[in-house]
Amino acid sequence: MRRGIAMTTVGALALTLAACGGTETKPADNQTATSTAEAGGEAVAGELTIWADDTRSSQVKELAADFTKEYGVKVNVVQKSESDMNKEFISQVPTGKGPDLIVLAHDRLGELVANGVVGTVDIADKAGQFSEAALAGVTYQGQTYGVPYAIENVALVRNNKLTKAEPKTFDEMIAEGKKANVEYPFIVQMGDKGDPYHFYGFQTSFGAPVFKQDEKGSYTTELALGGDNGKKFAQWLAKEGNEKVFDPAISGEIAKQAFLDGKAAFTVTGPWNTGAFREANMDITVLPIPQAGDQPAQPFVGVQAFFPSAKTQNQLLVNKFLIDYLATPAAQQKMYDIGKRVPAMPEVASKISDPDVQGFSAAGEKGAPMPAIPEMSAVWDFWGVTEADIVTGKQAADAAWDTMVKNIEGAISKK
Protein backbone atom coordinates (compact mmCIF):
# COMPACT_ATOMS: atom_id res chain seq x y z
CA MET A 1 0.00 0.00 0.00
CA ARG A 2 1.52 3.28 -1.01
CA ARG A 3 1.67 6.31 1.23
CA GLY A 4 -0.95 8.11 -0.85
CA ILE A 5 -3.38 5.30 -0.18
CA ALA A 6 -2.34 5.10 3.44
CA MET A 7 -3.28 8.72 4.07
CA THR A 8 -6.94 7.98 3.43
CA THR A 9 -7.33 5.79 6.49
CA VAL A 10 -10.41 6.45 8.58
CA GLY A 11 -11.24 3.28 10.53
CA ALA A 12 -9.82 1.36 13.46
CA LEU A 13 -7.72 -1.75 13.64
CA ALA A 14 -6.82 -4.32 16.29
CA LEU A 15 -3.99 -6.82 16.52
CA THR A 16 -6.06 -9.51 18.19
CA LEU A 17 -6.84 -12.91 16.77
CA ALA A 18 -10.18 -13.11 18.56
CA ALA A 19 -13.24 -13.59 16.41
CA CYS A 20 -16.96 -13.25 16.92
CA GLY A 21 -20.10 -14.86 15.56
CA GLY A 22 -22.50 -13.75 12.83
CA THR A 23 -24.57 -10.62 12.66
CA GLU A 24 -28.27 -9.89 12.49
CA THR A 25 -29.56 -9.78 8.96
CA LYS A 26 -32.17 -7.83 7.08
CA PRO A 27 -33.55 -8.36 3.56
CA ALA A 28 -31.83 -6.44 0.80
CA ASP A 29 -33.95 -5.27 -2.13
CA ASN A 30 -31.53 -6.40 -4.83
CA GLN A 31 -31.56 -10.08 -3.86
CA THR A 32 -33.71 -12.78 -5.50
CA ALA A 33 -33.94 -16.49 -4.71
CA THR A 34 -32.68 -18.15 -7.88
CA SER A 35 -30.54 -21.04 -6.65
CA THR A 36 -29.98 -23.28 -3.67
CA ALA A 37 -27.03 -24.68 -1.72
CA GLU A 38 -26.61 -26.97 1.23
CA ALA A 39 -25.54 -25.05 4.33
CA GLY A 40 -25.57 -26.66 7.74
CA GLY A 41 -27.73 -29.50 6.50
CA GLU A 42 -30.53 -27.35 5.10
CA ALA A 43 -31.13 -25.92 1.66
CA VAL A 44 -30.66 -22.17 1.45
CA ALA A 45 -32.10 -20.21 -1.46
CA GLY A 46 -30.64 -17.04 -2.86
CA GLU A 47 -27.82 -15.53 -4.82
CA LEU A 48 -24.93 -13.35 -3.80
CA THR A 49 -23.96 -9.89 -4.97
CA ILE A 50 -20.38 -8.70 -4.55
CA TRP A 51 -19.04 -5.20 -5.14
CA ALA A 52 -15.44 -4.85 -6.32
CA ASP A 53 -13.40 -2.02 -7.83
CA ASP A 54 -12.30 -1.84 -11.46
CA THR A 55 -8.97 -3.53 -10.69
CA ARG A 56 -10.42 -6.51 -8.86
CA SER A 57 -13.85 -6.99 -10.40
CA SER A 58 -12.59 -9.27 -13.17
CA GLN A 59 -10.57 -11.25 -10.64
CA VAL A 60 -13.57 -11.67 -8.35
CA LYS A 61 -15.67 -12.83 -11.31
CA GLU A 62 -13.20 -15.67 -11.90
CA LEU A 63 -13.27 -16.58 -8.23
CA ALA A 64 -17.06 -16.41 -8.16
CA ALA A 65 -17.29 -18.73 -11.16
CA ASP A 66 -15.43 -21.41 -9.21
CA PHE A 67 -17.72 -20.90 -6.22
CA THR A 68 -20.80 -21.19 -8.41
CA LYS A 69 -19.48 -24.36 -10.02
CA GLU A 70 -18.83 -25.95 -6.63
CA TYR A 71 -21.91 -24.82 -4.73
CA GLY A 72 -24.47 -23.98 -7.41
CA VAL A 73 -24.93 -20.45 -6.08
CA LYS A 74 -25.16 -17.62 -8.61
CA VAL A 75 -22.89 -14.66 -7.85
CA ASN A 76 -23.37 -11.19 -9.31
CA VAL A 77 -20.13 -9.19 -9.35
CA VAL A 78 -20.73 -5.46 -9.71
CA GLN A 79 -17.86 -3.15 -10.68
CA LYS A 80 -17.61 0.03 -8.63
CA SER A 81 -15.26 2.99 -8.46
CA GLU A 82 -12.52 2.48 -5.89
CA SER A 83 -12.64 6.12 -4.80
CA ASP A 84 -16.27 6.12 -3.66
CA MET A 85 -17.27 2.46 -3.36
CA ASN A 86 -17.07 2.56 0.44
CA LYS A 87 -19.22 5.69 0.58
CA GLU A 88 -21.86 4.10 -1.62
CA PHE A 89 -21.76 0.97 0.52
CA ILE A 90 -22.36 3.06 3.64
CA SER A 91 -25.30 4.86 2.06
CA GLN A 92 -26.89 1.83 0.39
CA VAL A 93 -26.67 -0.88 3.05
CA PRO A 94 -29.08 0.79 5.54
CA THR A 95 -31.69 1.05 2.78
CA GLY A 96 -31.46 -2.67 1.99
CA LYS A 97 -30.04 -1.99 -1.48
CA GLY A 98 -26.41 -2.81 -0.87
CA PRO A 99 -24.52 -5.99 -1.84
CA ASP A 100 -23.95 -9.08 0.27
CA LEU A 101 -20.17 -8.64 0.19
CA ILE A 102 -17.66 -5.97 -0.67
CA VAL A 103 -13.94 -6.26 -1.50
CA LEU A 104 -11.80 -3.55 0.10
CA ALA A 105 -8.46 -2.76 1.70
CA HIS A 106 -8.54 -2.99 5.50
CA ASP A 107 -8.10 0.73 6.09
CA ARG A 108 -11.81 1.23 5.40
CA LEU A 109 -13.01 -1.19 8.06
CA GLY A 110 -13.33 1.21 10.97
CA GLU A 111 -15.48 3.53 8.89
CA LEU A 112 -17.76 0.64 7.96
CA VAL A 113 -18.03 -0.50 11.58
CA ALA A 114 -18.76 3.01 12.81
CA ASN A 115 -21.63 3.25 10.34
CA GLY A 116 -23.03 -0.17 11.25
CA VAL A 117 -22.91 -1.52 7.71
CA VAL A 118 -20.47 -4.43 8.04
CA GLY A 119 -21.24 -7.77 9.67
CA THR A 120 -19.01 -9.96 11.85
CA VAL A 121 -17.53 -13.26 10.68
CA ASP A 122 -16.55 -16.24 12.81
CA ILE A 123 -13.20 -17.51 11.50
CA ALA A 124 -11.86 -18.68 14.86
CA ASP A 125 -11.44 -22.26 13.64
CA LYS A 126 -9.30 -21.08 10.73
CA ALA A 127 -7.48 -18.18 12.38
CA GLY A 128 -4.25 -20.15 12.64
CA GLN A 129 -4.04 -20.44 8.85
CA PHE A 130 -3.70 -16.67 8.35
CA SER A 131 -0.74 -14.42 9.12
CA GLU A 132 -1.11 -12.24 12.20
CA ALA A 133 -1.04 -9.09 10.07
CA ALA A 134 -3.77 -10.41 7.76
CA LEU A 135 -6.04 -11.29 10.69
CA ALA A 136 -5.44 -7.93 12.30
CA GLY A 137 -6.61 -6.25 9.13
CA VAL A 138 -10.11 -7.72 9.45
CA THR A 139 -10.52 -7.30 13.20
CA TYR A 140 -11.74 -4.34 15.20
CA GLN A 141 -12.00 -4.20 19.00
CA GLY A 142 -11.89 -7.99 19.26
CA GLN A 143 -14.48 -8.62 16.53
CA THR A 144 -13.64 -10.20 13.18
CA TYR A 145 -15.44 -8.59 10.27
CA GLY A 146 -14.14 -10.26 7.14
CA VAL A 147 -11.84 -12.79 5.52
CA PRO A 148 -8.46 -11.60 4.20
CA TYR A 149 -7.01 -12.88 0.95
CA ALA A 150 -3.84 -10.82 0.41
CA ILE A 151 -1.33 -8.56 2.12
CA GLU A 152 0.84 -5.77 0.75
CA ASN A 153 3.96 -4.17 2.18
CA VAL A 154 7.37 -2.78 1.33
CA ALA A 155 10.59 -4.76 1.63
CA LEU A 156 14.29 -4.45 0.86
CA VAL A 157 15.08 -5.09 -2.80
CA ARG A 158 18.64 -6.00 -3.77
CA ASN A 159 20.38 -5.63 -7.13
CA ASN A 160 22.10 -9.00 -7.37
CA LYS A 161 24.49 -7.76 -10.05
CA LEU A 162 25.97 -5.37 -7.51
CA THR A 163 25.88 -7.39 -4.29
CA LYS A 164 24.78 -10.72 -2.86
CA ALA A 165 24.73 -9.55 0.77
CA GLU A 166 21.73 -10.27 3.01
CA PRO A 167 22.10 -7.50 5.60
CA LYS A 168 20.42 -7.88 8.97
CA THR A 169 21.16 -4.33 10.09
CA PHE A 170 21.03 -0.96 8.37
CA ASP A 171 24.73 -0.28 8.96
CA GLU A 172 25.64 -3.64 7.45
CA MET A 173 23.51 -2.82 4.41
CA ILE A 174 25.23 0.54 3.87
CA ALA A 175 28.67 -1.04 4.26
CA GLU A 176 27.87 -3.74 1.72
CA GLY A 177 26.27 -1.24 -0.64
CA LYS A 178 29.40 0.92 -0.62
CA LYS A 179 31.43 -2.04 -1.80
CA ALA A 180 29.44 -1.96 -5.04
CA ASN A 181 31.00 1.42 -5.94
CA VAL A 182 27.79 2.90 -7.29
CA GLU A 183 26.17 6.28 -6.70
CA TYR A 184 23.79 5.02 -4.02
CA PRO A 185 24.69 2.20 -1.61
CA PHE A 186 21.01 2.42 -0.66
CA ILE A 187 18.18 4.58 -1.98
CA VAL A 188 14.65 5.17 -0.69
CA GLN A 189 12.03 7.66 -1.69
CA MET A 190 11.36 10.55 0.67
CA GLY A 191 10.27 13.76 -1.06
CA ASP A 192 10.21 17.24 0.43
CA LYS A 193 7.26 16.31 2.65
CA GLY A 194 8.87 13.13 3.93
CA ASP A 195 7.56 9.60 3.63
CA PRO A 196 6.80 7.95 7.00
CA TYR A 197 5.27 4.96 5.18
CA HIS A 198 8.53 3.87 3.57
CA PHE A 199 10.54 4.75 6.69
CA TYR A 200 8.24 3.03 9.19
CA GLY A 201 10.17 -0.24 9.31
CA PHE A 202 13.25 1.65 10.44
CA GLN A 203 11.26 3.64 13.00
CA THR A 204 9.68 0.58 14.59
CA SER A 205 13.12 -0.96 14.98
CA PHE A 206 13.76 1.80 17.53
CA GLY A 207 10.66 0.77 19.49
CA ALA A 208 8.65 3.81 18.41
CA PRO A 209 5.41 2.68 16.72
CA VAL A 210 2.97 5.42 15.82
CA PHE A 211 0.21 4.49 18.33
CA LYS A 212 0.13 2.44 21.51
CA GLN A 213 -1.92 -0.75 21.78
CA ASP A 214 -4.19 -1.92 24.59
CA GLU A 215 -4.00 -5.29 26.37
CA LYS A 216 -5.92 -6.91 23.50
CA GLY A 217 -3.59 -5.49 20.90
CA SER A 218 -6.03 -2.86 19.61
CA TYR A 219 -4.57 0.46 18.55
CA THR A 220 -5.45 3.23 20.98
CA THR A 221 -5.44 6.97 20.32
CA GLU A 222 -2.35 7.46 22.52
CA LEU A 223 0.80 8.22 20.55
CA ALA A 224 3.78 5.91 20.96
CA LEU A 225 6.24 7.60 18.61
CA GLY A 226 7.40 10.13 21.21
CA GLY A 227 9.63 9.67 24.22
CA ASP A 228 13.22 8.45 24.26
CA ASN A 229 12.73 5.84 21.55
CA GLY A 230 11.21 8.36 19.19
CA LYS A 231 14.11 10.72 19.79
CA LYS A 232 16.59 7.93 19.11
CA PHE A 233 14.96 7.45 15.73
CA ALA A 234 15.03 11.20 15.10
CA GLN A 235 18.73 11.35 16.00
CA TRP A 236 19.39 8.48 13.62
CA LEU A 237 17.55 10.32 10.85
CA ALA A 238 19.74 13.38 11.46
CA LYS A 239 22.89 11.26 11.31
CA GLU A 240 21.94 9.51 8.08
CA GLY A 241 20.80 12.80 6.57
CA ASN A 242 24.12 14.42 7.42
CA GLU A 243 25.88 11.51 5.71
CA LYS A 244 23.64 11.99 2.65
CA VAL A 245 22.11 8.51 2.91
CA PHE A 246 18.62 10.09 2.94
CA ASP A 247 17.60 13.04 0.81
CA PRO A 248 14.19 14.75 0.48
CA ALA A 249 15.11 15.43 -3.16
CA ILE A 250 14.65 11.71 -3.84
CA SER A 251 11.08 11.17 -5.03
CA GLY A 252 9.48 7.83 -5.74
CA GLU A 253 10.22 8.08 -9.46
CA ILE A 254 13.82 9.14 -8.88
CA ALA A 255 14.42 6.22 -6.52
CA LYS A 256 12.81 3.78 -8.93
CA GLN A 257 14.78 5.02 -11.93
CA ALA A 258 18.08 5.07 -10.05
CA PHE A 259 17.59 1.44 -9.10
CA LEU A 260 16.55 0.56 -12.66
CA ASP A 261 19.70 2.25 -13.96
CA GLY A 262 21.92 0.19 -11.69
CA LYS A 263 22.91 3.20 -9.60
CA ALA A 264 21.79 1.68 -6.26
CA ALA A 265 22.64 -1.61 -4.59
CA PHE A 266 19.55 -1.66 -2.36
CA THR A 267 16.18 0.06 -2.16
CA VAL A 268 13.04 -0.17 -0.04
CA THR A 269 9.93 -0.38 -2.18
CA GLY A 270 6.78 -2.42 -2.78
CA PRO A 271 5.55 -4.99 -5.31
CA TRP A 272 4.19 -2.14 -7.44
CA ASN A 273 7.79 -1.50 -8.60
CA THR A 274 9.31 -4.96 -8.81
CA GLY A 275 7.35 -5.68 -11.97
CA ALA A 276 9.24 -2.88 -13.73
CA PHE A 277 12.53 -4.23 -12.41
CA ARG A 278 11.74 -7.67 -13.80
CA GLU A 279 10.60 -6.25 -17.14
CA ALA A 280 14.01 -4.55 -17.37
CA ASN A 281 15.58 -8.01 -16.91
CA MET A 282 17.11 -7.04 -13.62
CA ASP A 283 18.35 -9.79 -11.32
CA ILE A 284 16.79 -8.86 -7.97
CA THR A 285 16.02 -10.44 -4.62
CA VAL A 286 13.38 -9.28 -2.15
CA LEU A 287 14.56 -9.37 1.48
CA PRO A 288 13.26 -8.31 4.92
CA ILE A 289 13.97 -4.70 5.87
CA PRO A 290 17.12 -4.55 8.03
CA GLN A 291 16.76 -3.09 11.50
CA ALA A 292 18.28 0.28 12.25
CA GLY A 293 17.61 0.11 15.98
CA ASP A 294 17.79 -2.80 18.40
CA GLN A 295 14.43 -4.32 17.48
CA PRO A 296 13.12 -6.05 14.32
CA ALA A 297 11.85 -3.77 11.58
CA GLN A 298 8.06 -3.84 11.12
CA PRO A 299 6.87 -2.26 7.89
CA PHE A 300 3.26 -1.21 7.51
CA VAL A 301 1.05 -3.93 6.09
CA GLY A 302 -2.08 -3.38 4.04
CA VAL A 303 -4.68 -6.15 3.97
CA GLN A 304 -7.09 -6.93 1.14
CA ALA A 305 -10.30 -8.68 2.22
CA PHE A 306 -13.94 -9.57 1.60
CA PHE A 307 -16.35 -7.96 4.08
CA PRO A 308 -20.05 -8.92 4.51
CA SER A 309 -22.94 -6.52 4.65
CA ALA A 310 -24.63 -6.23 8.02
CA LYS A 311 -27.99 -6.30 6.22
CA THR A 312 -27.62 -9.26 3.89
CA GLN A 313 -30.66 -11.53 3.61
CA ASN A 314 -28.39 -14.42 2.62
CA GLN A 315 -26.29 -14.89 5.75
CA LEU A 316 -25.86 -18.65 5.30
CA LEU A 317 -24.67 -18.21 1.73
CA VAL A 318 -22.34 -15.42 2.82
CA ASN A 319 -20.87 -17.69 5.48
CA LYS A 320 -20.49 -20.48 2.94
CA PHE A 321 -18.63 -18.18 0.57
CA LEU A 322 -16.41 -16.67 3.27
CA ILE A 323 -15.76 -19.63 5.56
CA ASP A 324 -16.22 -22.78 3.48
CA TYR A 325 -14.76 -21.36 0.29
CA LEU A 326 -12.64 -18.19 0.62
CA ALA A 327 -10.95 -19.25 3.87
CA THR A 328 -9.34 -22.26 2.19
CA PRO A 329 -5.88 -22.70 0.66
CA ALA A 330 -7.46 -23.50 -2.72
CA ALA A 331 -9.38 -20.21 -2.93
CA GLN A 332 -6.43 -18.24 -1.59
CA GLN A 333 -4.25 -19.82 -4.28
CA LYS A 334 -6.88 -18.95 -6.89
CA MET A 335 -6.85 -15.29 -5.86
CA TYR A 336 -3.08 -15.25 -6.14
CA ASP A 337 -3.16 -16.90 -9.57
CA ILE A 338 -5.46 -14.21 -10.96
CA GLY A 339 -4.34 -11.19 -8.93
CA LYS A 340 -0.68 -11.83 -8.04
CA ARG A 341 -0.99 -10.33 -4.55
CA VAL A 342 0.83 -11.99 -1.66
CA PRO A 343 -1.60 -14.54 -0.13
CA ALA A 344 -2.88 -13.93 3.40
CA MET A 345 -2.14 -17.56 4.27
CA PRO A 346 1.62 -18.17 4.83
CA GLU A 347 1.08 -21.82 3.86
CA VAL A 348 -0.09 -20.73 0.42
CA ALA A 349 2.50 -17.99 0.02
CA SER A 350 5.33 -20.37 0.88
CA LYS A 351 4.36 -22.70 -1.97
CA ILE A 352 4.37 -20.01 -4.64
CA SER A 353 7.47 -20.29 -6.79
CA ASP A 354 7.66 -16.56 -7.58
CA PRO A 355 10.65 -15.42 -5.48
CA ASP A 356 9.34 -11.85 -5.26
CA VAL A 357 6.08 -13.03 -3.70
CA GLN A 358 8.00 -15.16 -1.23
CA GLY A 359 10.24 -12.24 -0.36
CA PHE A 360 7.44 -9.75 0.26
CA SER A 361 5.51 -12.37 2.21
CA ALA A 362 8.48 -13.01 4.50
CA ALA A 363 9.07 -9.29 4.97
CA GLY A 364 5.42 -8.60 5.79
CA GLU A 365 4.55 -11.65 7.89
CA LYS A 366 5.59 -9.89 11.09
CA GLY A 367 4.75 -6.42 9.85
CA ALA A 368 2.46 -3.92 11.54
CA PRO A 369 -1.06 -3.48 10.12
CA MET A 370 -1.55 0.17 9.38
CA PRO A 371 -3.68 1.89 12.04
CA ALA A 372 -6.90 3.08 10.49
CA ILE A 373 -8.29 4.94 13.48
CA PRO A 374 -9.61 8.43 12.64
CA GLU A 375 -6.73 9.96 14.60
CA MET A 376 -4.28 8.61 12.03
CA SER A 377 -5.28 11.39 9.64
CA ALA A 378 -3.82 13.90 12.10
CA VAL A 379 -0.41 12.24 12.00
CA TRP A 380 0.83 12.07 8.42
CA ASP A 381 1.62 15.68 7.54
CA PHE A 382 3.40 16.60 10.80
CA TRP A 383 5.23 13.28 10.77
CA GLY A 384 6.53 13.47 7.20
CA VAL A 385 7.57 17.12 7.19
CA THR A 386 9.38 16.68 10.49
CA GLU A 387 11.36 13.74 9.14
CA ALA A 388 12.34 15.75 6.07
CA ASP A 389 13.37 18.77 8.17
CA ILE A 390 15.51 16.59 10.43
CA VAL A 391 17.23 14.93 7.48
CA THR A 392 18.11 18.28 5.91
CA GLY A 393 19.22 19.78 9.23
CA LYS A 394 16.53 22.45 9.05
CA GLN A 395 15.44 21.44 12.55
CA ALA A 396 17.38 19.86 15.41
CA ALA A 397 16.32 16.24 15.91
CA ASP A 398 15.11 16.20 19.54
CA ALA A 399 13.37 19.57 19.47
CA ALA A 400 11.72 18.85 16.12
CA TRP A 401 10.44 15.48 17.29
CA ASP A 402 9.02 16.91 20.53
CA THR A 403 7.29 19.68 18.61
CA MET A 404 5.88 17.18 16.14
CA VAL A 405 4.39 15.07 18.95
CA LYS A 406 2.78 18.14 20.54
CA ASN A 407 1.35 19.25 17.20
CA ILE A 408 -0.09 15.82 16.51
CA GLU A 409 -1.60 15.59 20.00
CA GLY A 410 -3.18 19.01 19.45
CA ALA A 411 -4.65 17.96 16.11
CA ILE A 412 -6.00 14.73 17.62
CA SER A 413 -7.67 16.60 20.48
CA LYS A 414 -9.66 18.63 17.96
CA LYS A 415 -11.16 15.55 16.31
Side-chain angles (χ1 to χ4, degrees):
M1 183 179 294
R2 309 181 194 221
R3 179 173 176 264
I5 298 174
M7 292 176 67
T8 65
T9 55
V10 289
L13 178 62
L15 284 173
T16 175
L17 305 186
C20 185
T23 183
E24 293 183 3
T25 61
K26 182 178 179 179
D29 294 342
N30 66 340
Q31 313 291 318
T32 57
T34 60
S35 59
T36 63
E38 292 298 318
E42 61 178 310
V44 180
E47 64 182 48
L48 294 175
T49 297
I50 302 176
W51 284 4
D53 61 35
D54 51 358
T55 299
R56 285 172 287 197
S57 59
S58 61
Q59 300 168 14
V60 175
K61 285 180 181 178
E62 286 193 47
L63 186 76
D66 280 2
F67 176 73
T68 298
K69 182 177 180 180
E70 183 172 353
Y71 293 100
V73 178
K74 182 179 179 181
V75 180
N76 302 309
V77 179
V78 181
Q79 181 177 316
K80 294 288 183 177
S81 168
E82 180 182 14
S83 61
D84 56 15
M85 179 168 60
N86 61 306
K87 296 177 182 177
E88 187 175 355
F89 187 72
I90 290 171
S91 66
Q92 292 295 318
V93 168
T95 70
K97 296 180 180 180
D100 297 288
L101 295 154
I102 188 170
V103 187
L104 285 172
H106 84 270
D107 57 8
R108 305 288 191 179
L109 178 57
E111 180 183 30
L112 302 184
V113 173
N115 284 276
V117 296
V118 63
T120 56
V121 180
D122 185 355
I123 58 173
D125 291 343
K126 297 189 175 183
Q129 297 183 51
F130 294 95
S131 69
E132 292 183 10
L135 276 173
V138 296
T139 53
Y140 173 62
Q141 295 183 342
Q143 306 268 28
T144 306
Y145 287 91
V147 173
Y149 74 87
I151 61 173
E152 189 173 67
N153 55 272
V154 296
L156 183 70
V157 180
R158 182 186 71 195
N159 184 333
N160 294 332
K161 183 178 180 180
L162 300 176
T163 179
K164 293 296 178 66
E166 297 186 10
K168 304 302 180 184
T169 68
F170 186 87
D171 289 343
E172 179 186 347
M173 178 187 66
I174 296 300
E176 292 295 333
K178 287 181 177 179
K179 294 178 182 178
N181 293 317
V182 289
E183 185 173 353
Y184 304 102
F186 166 72
I187 194 168
V188 62
Q189 69 181 68
M190 188 173 204
D192 57 3
K193 295 183 179 180
D195 197 326
Y197 176 73
H198 280 80
F199 278 70
Y200 194 65
F202 300 133
Q203 181 173 321
T204 54
S205 75
F206 285 90
V210 59
F211 284 105
K212 291 185 178 180
Q213 297 166 242
D214 62 21
E215 65 280 359
K216 293 183 178 180
S218 298
Y219 283 114
T220 70
T221 60
E222 185 178 357
L223 292 176
L225 47 66
D228 291 341
N229 288 342
K231 289 181 181 178
K232 288 178 182 178
F233 171 65
Q235 292 162 9
W236 175 78
L237 283 176
K239 172 180 174 294
E240 300 303 328
N242 185 58
E243 295 176 2
K244 307 303 180 183
V245 176
F246 301 141
D247 186 351
I250 302 297
S251 66
E253 284 304 311
I254 290 175
K256 176 183 177 181
Q257 194 59 51
F259 194 76
L260 276 168
D261 293 341
K263 296 179 179 179
F266 298 96
T267 188
V268 165
T269 190
W272 47 84
N273 278 336
T274 51
F277 301 156
R278 292 295 184 184
E279 289 173 7
N281 295 316
M282 293 187 71
D283 181 11
I284 61 171
T285 296
V286 179
L287 301 165
I289 294 175
Q291 63 188 65
D294 59 3
Q295 299 181 30
Q298 289 187 295
F300 275 134
V301 175
V303 180
Q304 306 292 329
F306 286 73
F307 298 101
S309 165
K311 305 299 181 182
T312 175
Q313 68 175 359
N314 291 316
Q315 187 66 52
L316 289 176
L317 291 183
V318 166
N319 288 344
K320 181 161 286 293
F321 179 87
L322 291 176
I323 306 302
D324 297 344
Y325 180 66
L326 185 63
T328 64
Q332 297 278 316
Q333 178 69 48
K334 178 71 174 182
M335 281 303 290
Y336 166 74
D337 291 340
I338 57 183
K340 302 303 181 184
R341 294 174 184 261
V342 178
M345 287 184 174
E347 172 193 352
V348 177
S350 67
K351 295 178 181 179
I352 293 173
S353 60
D354 187 324
D356 295 345
V357 170
Q358 293 178 351
F360 280 112
S361 177
E365 191 169 330
K366 297 299 181 181
M370 185 179 300
I373 53 177
E375 289 74 13
M376 191 68 181
S377 64
V379 174
W380 291 110
D381 289 342
F382 292 117
W383 196 6
V385 171
T386 300
E387 288 185 353
D389 284 352
I390 290 173
V391 164
T392 60
K394 185 176 180 180
Q395 294 191 62
D398 286 6
W401 206 255
D402 281 341
T403 299
M404 175 197 73
V405 172
K406 291 179 181 178
N407 287 336
I408 294 173
E409 290 175 337
I412 289 176
S413 68
K414 294 178 182 179
K415 284 191 168 294

